[in-house]
Amino acid sequence: MAEEVILLNFWPSMFGMRTMIALEEKGVNYEYREEDVINNKSPLLLEMNPIHKKIPVLIHNGKPVCESIIQIQYIDEVWSDKNPFLPTDSYQRAQALFWADFIEKKLFVCGRKTWATKGEELEAATKEYIEILKTLQCELGDKPYFGGDKFGFVDIVLIGYYSWFPAYQKFGNFSIEPECSKLMAWGKRCMQRASVAKALPDSERVVGYVLQLKKFYGIK
């Protein structure tokens, strides 16, 4: 029986972008289903992720896998014959998982503050965001990718935010490039990969989406 792989996603989600990239990197045939997560979540989404009711949801032969980082690990293990994401060395693997966890806990919450707050809170958020990126840039160092010469787990976890950088900078009134030029060069390098270019939306479309969010939440 042929494998059935379905991805429930919402196009601006940097979390869903991760899962798309992982599937593309492994050459997995999958069906993409766009969800209206704001106004009309599908019955399938609610059935497959009854706890959080969020995207992305990876459905493999009728069984759901939720949470993007877990999905990347799952994809890496199930389709292990091609292009491994995580190192085989236990320490290097632990380091990759550490940085993925750092990204997960820091970037989204702080990034949201760059367009959803104002005044001193916004100023603090933009400073914090740059510091987070500088920490990641330090870990990247002079390597092409976070794992070295090979595009891997941490790159997949982080790269979706690259499509949101212009929106964060526009609404937060700050610039990433001056202090994080190596990280921005890394983003451009990743964008040259077919998997990344397919998964990441145009940044101007993201800016338009954030404008909609600001109106939706009454943020001026």
Side-chain angles (χ1 to χ4, degrees):
M1 185 180 73
E3 286 190 304
E4 181 187 53
V5 182
I6 299 169
L7 176 62
L8 307 182
N9 191 35
F10 180 44
W11 69 267
S13 170
M14 62 280 288
F15 308 110
M17 295 174 209
R18 297 169 174 171
T19 310
M20 280 186 67
I21 292 167
L23 289 168
E24 293 289 338
E25 285 286 328
K26 293 284 188 176
V28 178
N29 291 321
Y30 66 99
E31 178 186 348
Y32 180 97
R33 295 189 188 178
E34 182 73 9
E35 287 281 339
D36 180 356
V37 298
I38 296 177
N39 299 308
N40 188 25
K41 296 177 182 180
S42 74
L44 183 61
L45 172 59
L46 299 177
E47 177 191 351
M48 291 291 156
N49 191 359
I51 304 300
H52 297 303
K53 302 178 178 61
K54 293 180 179 180
I55 53 88
V57 179
L58 179 68
I59 307 171
H60 184 205
N61 292 333
K63 296 179 180 179
V65 181
C66 301
E67 300 298 315
S68 60
I69 288 183
I70 296 171
Q71 290 166 5
I72 300 168
Q73 290 178 275
Y74 180 85
I75 292 165
D76 201 25
E77 291 175 10
V78 172
W79 292 278
S80 59
D81 58 327
K82 181 181 179 183
N83 194 16
F85 302 146
L86 281 163
T88 54
D89 178 81
S90 297
Y91 180 75
Q92 291 178 358
R93 188 183 185 92
Q95 288 299 104
L97 292 171
F98 170 85
W99 286 108
D101 185 66
F102 176 85
I103 292 163
E104 193 76 345
K105 289 176 178 174
K106 295 285 187 178
L107 274 186
F108 180 79
V109 173
C110 189
R112 190 183 190 282
K113 290 178 182 177
T114 65
W115 59 263
T117 63
K118 59 179 71 173
E120 292 182 359
E121 190 177 0
L122 173 59
E123 186 178 346
T126 57
K127 287 181 179 178
E128 182 184 1
Y129 200 79
I130 288 293
E131 288 304 312
I132 293 168
L133 295 184
K134 285 167 68 176
T135 299
L136 288 166
Q137 178 172 258
C138 185
E139 171 59 20
L140 175 66
D142 294 321
K143 304 187 297 291
Y145 302 105
F146 280 88
D149 292 330
K150 185 178 177 299
F151 180 81
F153 194 82
V154 179
D155 304 290
I156 295 171
V157 170
L158 179 59
I159 188 57
Y161 286 95
Y162 183 77
S163 63
W164 278 72
F165 283 174
Y168 292 154
Q169 293 176 102
K170 176 181 176 66
F171 297 110
N173 193 29
F174 70 108
S175 180
I176 294 171
E177 180 76 34
E179 295 188 78
C180 300
S181 59
K182 286 185 179 180
L183 192 67
M184 295 299 281
W186 162 86
K188 292 174 184 175
R189 191 177 303 119
C190 291
M191 284 296 294
Q192 294 174 4
R193 301 184 71 83
S195 62
V196 178
K198 182 175 181 178
L200 268 60
D202 180 78
S203 293
E204 285 304 309
R205 191 181 179 198
V206 176
V207 170
Y209 172 66
V210 175
L211 277 171
Q212 289 181 326
L213 284 178
K214 287 171 73 72
K215 290 179 183 178
F216 181 80
Y217 290 112
I219 300 168
K220 296 180 180 180

